[in-house]
Amino acid sequence: MVRPEVTLENYEDVYRFYLDHRQNRFLARAAYAALSARYRPQIRYADGARAQLQELLRSGTRLIVVANHLTDRDQYTLAATAWRTPLRSAIGRTRVLAKDELFADPKMRRAIDMMGSIPVFRGKDHGLRAVADAGRAMMDVAAERLHRGDVLAIFPEGTCNDGDPARVQQINSGVGHIAVKARKLGSEPALLGLGISYHPDRPADVFVARPVADLPTTPMNITRTVATELQAAVDEAIATRPARQRTPSR
């Protein structure tokens, strides 16, 4: 299938393409491994979270991963984290929502397509009315990919946090709508919160929360759950620890 130009005017062709797009899994794993070696995030788990995450992935439970958004390198930290956690098993079938401007440069697009990205046309860039139809199409595609068995990764704040990195910004309701749409398709997605904290003199700390397997029924209540879970994960990520030890991979 020919890759369509990623523009708002062309959104129907864009989402028709990303409904079925598959990256080369071997290349994706190699890229994730390289990012892990470069960024080396230090992973810490909530009690029982690692085992619970392994079981959810093993059982085929649909998984929505949410992380706070601090810098333009968050996607690399997220990929490196995936390699160092049980999420490694989902590399090659993980979809990451990414702003449409990242798809403009052909070289960058090849890279993020290989990582499994799906473009998002943001209201802050194009206007809320202009992106309404494209937004609904994006959520339909994300829900369908989730229902088919892909892991879905989202930065639900929608934009980098230029204020207080310790406080999660307002969460966009799209994550709640995607979860409800996936449920209507017959899936019961679980939620995994990842808190990221950066430091000037050492690798990022990432806290893996306990997955939430029983989500509320409405988009608004799911969005509130995301906000609560993500803030708790961020609190843990930035908490001072007396000893920082590398956790086992996977």
Side-chain angles (χ1 to χ4, degrees):
M1 183 183 298
V2 177
R3 296 174 191 269
E5 183 181 5
V6 177
T7 64
L8 180 58
E9 295 74 21
N10 198 35
Y11 81 86
E12 291 179 327
D13 287 341
V14 168
Y15 290 122
R16 191 176 299 114
F17 174 81
Y18 284 100
L19 179 63
D20 295 309
H21 171 257
R22 287 286 181 188
Q23 73 269 50
N24 183 303
R25 192 168 189 185
F26 175 81
L27 293 178
R29 287 177 63 85
Y32 276 65
L35 289 169
S36 173
R38 178 178 178 181
Y39 287 93
R40 298 176 292 111
Q42 303 299 294
I43 315 297
R44 190 161 61 96
Y45 294 88
D47 290 344
R50 186 170 180 270
Q52 188 179 355
L53 176 56
Q54 286 177 317
E55 179 55 33
L56 288 173
L57 290 166
R58 189 179 301 118
S59 67
T61 300
R62 280 40 177 171
L63 191 64
I64 300 174
V65 179
V66 296
N68 57 314
H69 199 4
L70 299 171
T71 76
D72 288 337
R73 69 178 186 271
D74 292 340
Q75 64 268 31
Y76 307 125
T77 299
L78 189 60
T81 297
W83 184 259
R84 291 170 175 248
T85 66
L87 291 168
R88 184 186 298 188
S89 65
I91 294 173
R93 56 180 185 85
T94 296
R95 307 301 123 198
V96 184
L97 299 188
K99 57 187 177 181
D100 66 289
E101 64 188 61
L102 296 176
F103 295 76
D105 178 76
K107 183 178 179 180
M108 174 66 77
R109 181 174 181 181
R110 286 194 296 271
I112 60 176
D113 274 352
M114 183 266 296
M115 300 295 283
S117 297
I118 295 175
V120 177
F121 300 98
R122 302 184 300 179
K124 64 172 290 186
D125 298 324
H126 302 280
L128 290 176
R129 285 191 175 184
V131 303
D133 290 339
R136 284 188 286 270
M138 179 274 294
M139 289 187 286
D140 287 342
V141 168
E144 178 63 32
R145 297 304 297 254
L146 189 63
H147 176 62
R148 293 181 186 179
D150 290 344
V151 169
L152 183 65
I154 305 175
F155 296 102
E157 294 165 287
T159 188
C160 288
N161 187 342
D162 294 325
D164 183 357
R167 302 305 306 172
V168 172
Q169 302 174 102
Q170 182 175 340
I171 301 299
N172 291 330
S173 63
V175 62
H177 287 286
I178 291 169
V180 169
K181 286 175 180 289
R183 181 177 287 148
K184 289 179 178 178
L185 292 171
S187 295
E188 286 294 337
L191 176 73
L192 177 68
L194 301 180
I196 301 172
S197 178
Y198 292 110
H199 311 275
D201 57 348
R202 64 178 192 253
D205 284 314
V206 178
F207 183 80
V208 182
R210 285 179 60 88
V212 179
D214 187 17
L215 291 175
T217 58
T218 67
M220 186 58 68
N221 285 335
I222 293 172
T223 302
R224 291 190 181 110
T225 298
V226 171
T228 299
E229 292 294 319
L230 192 53
Q231 183 62 62
V234 170
D235 291 344
E236 290 289 345
I238 65 176
T240 302
R241 288 177 280 162
R244 302 178 73 253
Q245 298 179 344
R246 186 186 300 271
T247 57
S249 295
R250 299 185 69 190

